[in-house]
């Protein structure tokens, strides 16, 4: 599949489709090329902080597959998100969304109404837990810190989807994808982030239940460990790296987010039309093993 290097509008898409038609009639043109998986899709990507962010890999691949992308960033990281946006094939607009800030969500919804009207895809790539919530002692954090971890890392999926619900419904087949870390088991050091991910897994099923009649799908990608800013802040992250190095049937590269990005883009596309409330494991197969 050819990679695209610049954004095209709807008319260009039609031109490409027409040329492809010509090609199928035997009149192959040097201008014809296969359509991207996300051609004509409008997608909001949260969680791009640096070019190591999982969301950066998703935004890049989404653009290469034909999507129009808007990024969101938050707080002190917002200027970093804007700088990182310039590294994408087409520099996207960056809007401010701290998921704990209702005014940001309302304002962002208004902005997207004016810009696009509908939203075909939404990537939730947001996680945060105060330091006391991580590190290998589940008793250390009190409710104040735990509530922050749960709000930012789990409840935020409902907050985001709720804010853009009319835009998602207007698409008539939209896809919400969230990034997960397998929460069926207890991991070293992951502590309250693990609890937050378990909440997010459950929440994704309830969102799938309540949005199905609007043809909005809600799925998660449970990724293996990838070295990002968030990952590096987990003391004990190296134990994940060791686990994946020895246990992944397919092998695993902690510096490669391509497999995760491809799964997200596939779920954002029209190629999973009857899949919702699902967790797709992109972890080299580690989740499938007992010991
Ligand atoms: P990352 O690049 O550090 O991204 C985390 C993002 O969350 C940052 O953009 C951060 O922005 C954002 N964020 C934190 N608090 C926020 C808030 N209140 N409002 C809005 N955004 C907020 O790390 P990442 O690893 O790519 O993480 C993305 C997602 O993937 C997370 O849900 C993470 O749990 C999940 N995941 C990661 C791995 C891994 O190994 N890396 C594996 C499985 C799942 P600011 O810093 O500006 O607040």
């Amino acid at each position: 599949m050819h990679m695209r290097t610049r954004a095209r509008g709807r008319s260009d898409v039609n031109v490409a489709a027409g040329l492809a038609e010509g090609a199928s009639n035997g009149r192959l043109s040097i201008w014809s090329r296969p359509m991207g998986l996300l051609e004509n899709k409008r997608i909001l990507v949260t969680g791009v902080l640096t070019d190591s962010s999982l969301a950066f890999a998703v935004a890049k691949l989404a653009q290469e597959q034909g999507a129009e992308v808007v990024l969101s960033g938050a707080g002190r990281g917002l200027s970093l998100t804007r700088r990182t946006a310039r590294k994408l094939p087409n520099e996207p607009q960056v809007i401010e969304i701290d998921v704990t800030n209702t005014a940001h969500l309302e304002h962002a919804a208004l902005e997207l109404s004016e810009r696009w009207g509908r939203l075909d895809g939404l990537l939730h790539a947001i996680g945060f837990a105060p330091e006391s919530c991580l590190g290998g002692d589940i008793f250390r954090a009190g409710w104040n810190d735990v509530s922050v971890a749960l709000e930012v890392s789990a409840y935020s999926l409902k907050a985001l989807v709720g804010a853009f619900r009319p835009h998602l419904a207007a698409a008539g087949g939209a896809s919400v994808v969230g990034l997960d870390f397998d929460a069926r088991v207890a991991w070293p050091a992951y502590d309250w982030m693990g609890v937050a991910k378990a909440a997010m897994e459950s929440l994704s099923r309830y969102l799938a239940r309540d949005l199905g009649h609007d043809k909005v799908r809600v799925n998660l990608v449970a990724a293996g460990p990838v070295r990002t800013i968030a990952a590096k802040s987990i003391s004990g992250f190296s134990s994940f790296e060791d686990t994946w190095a020895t246990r992944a049937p397919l092998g695993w590269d902690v510096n490669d987010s391509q497999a995760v990005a491809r799964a997200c883009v596939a779920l954002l596309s029209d190629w999973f039309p009857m899949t919702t409330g699902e967790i797709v494991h992109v972890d080299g197969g580690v989740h499938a093993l007992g010991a």
Side-chain angles (χ1 to χ4, degrees):
M1 199 164 280
H2 293 299
M3 297 300 188
R4 36 170 309 189
T5 51
R6 67 183 179 83
R8 282 190 321 274
R10 189 181 289 262
S11 57
D12 295 321
V13 171
N14 292 337
V15 168
L19 286 167
E21 222 169 75
S24 73
N25 291 336
R27 290 180 281 114
L28 187 62
S29 152
I30 53 165
W31 300 106
S32 66
R33 55 150 198 76
M35 302 284 279
L37 268 187
L38 298 181
E39 213 72 57
N40 211 26
K41 300 271 189 214
R42 295 164 166 181
I43 297 179
L44 173 62
V45 175
T46 67
V48 173
L49 190 59
T50 67
D51 56 8
S52 74
S53 298
L54 293 176
F56 180 85
V58 177
K60 182 165 183 286
L61 189 58
Q63 286 191 342
E64 289 167 351
Q65 289 297 320
E68 214 180 314
V69 168
V70 165
L71 304 184
S72 72
R76 279 181 299 170
L78 184 62
S79 57
L80 198 46
T81 302
R82 290 194 205 284
R83 274 210 298 281
T84 307
R86 293 185 206 124
K87 297 184 182 174
L88 285 167
N90 314 302
E91 185 180 339
Q93 185 191 348
V94 178
I95 57 179
E96 182 174 22
I97 305 179
D98 178 328
V99 280
T100 64
N101 187 321
T102 311
H104 284 182
L105 287 163
E106 286 169 1
H107 189 252
L110 274 177
E111 249 183 287
L112 277 201
S113 291
E114 282 161 20
R115 186 190 166 98
W116 281 343
R118 68 168 207 272
L119 193 58
D120 301 293
L122 171 58
L123 181 78
H124 178 285
I126 291 169
F128 173 76
E131 194 253 329
S132 66
C133 291
L134 298 157
D137 179 2
I138 200 74
F139 290 102
R140 191 153 64 101
W143 173 243
N144 283 350
D145 283 352
V146 169
S147 66
V148 172
L150 293 178
E151 182 180 14
V152 176
S153 310
Y155 177 82
S156 62
L157 180 62
K158 175 262 177 188
L160 259 185
V161 170
F164 296 107
R165 190 174 179 179
H167 310 74
L168 292 163
S175 170
V176 176
V177 178
L179 290 174
D180 182 27
F181 191 71
D182 187 1
R184 294 168 308 161
V185 294
W187 296 101
Y190 207 48
D191 301 5
W192 287 101
M193 268 307 286
V195 178
K197 290 301 189 193
M200 190 202 197
E201 289 183 356
S202 177
L203 173 59
S204 69
R205 291 185 281 269
Y206 282 98
L207 291 171
R209 182 195 69 181
D210 287 356
L211 295 174
H213 67 273
D214 285 329
K215 302 289 174 229
V216 178
R217 293 168 285 129
V218 182
N219 295 291
L220 301 181
V221 169
V226 177
R227 283 185 194 155
T228 62
I229 301 285
K232 285 181 200 153
S233 72
I234 302 171
S235 61
F237 185 76
S238 62
S239 73
F240 296 147
E241 299 196 354
D242 298 343
T243 301
W244 260 258
T246 53
R247 294 190 56 205
L250 293 172
W252 187 255
D253 181 351
V254 292
N255 294 305
D256 186 359
S257 47
Q258 268 310 298
V260 175
R262 283 183 174 214
C264 292
V265 164
L267 285 166
L268 288 166
S269 80
D270 294 331
W271 284 82
F272 282 90
M274 281 295 141
T275 300
T276 194
E278 187 59 274
I279 301 173
V280 178
H281 294 85
V282 182
D283 64 350
V286 167
H287 74 283
L289 305 186

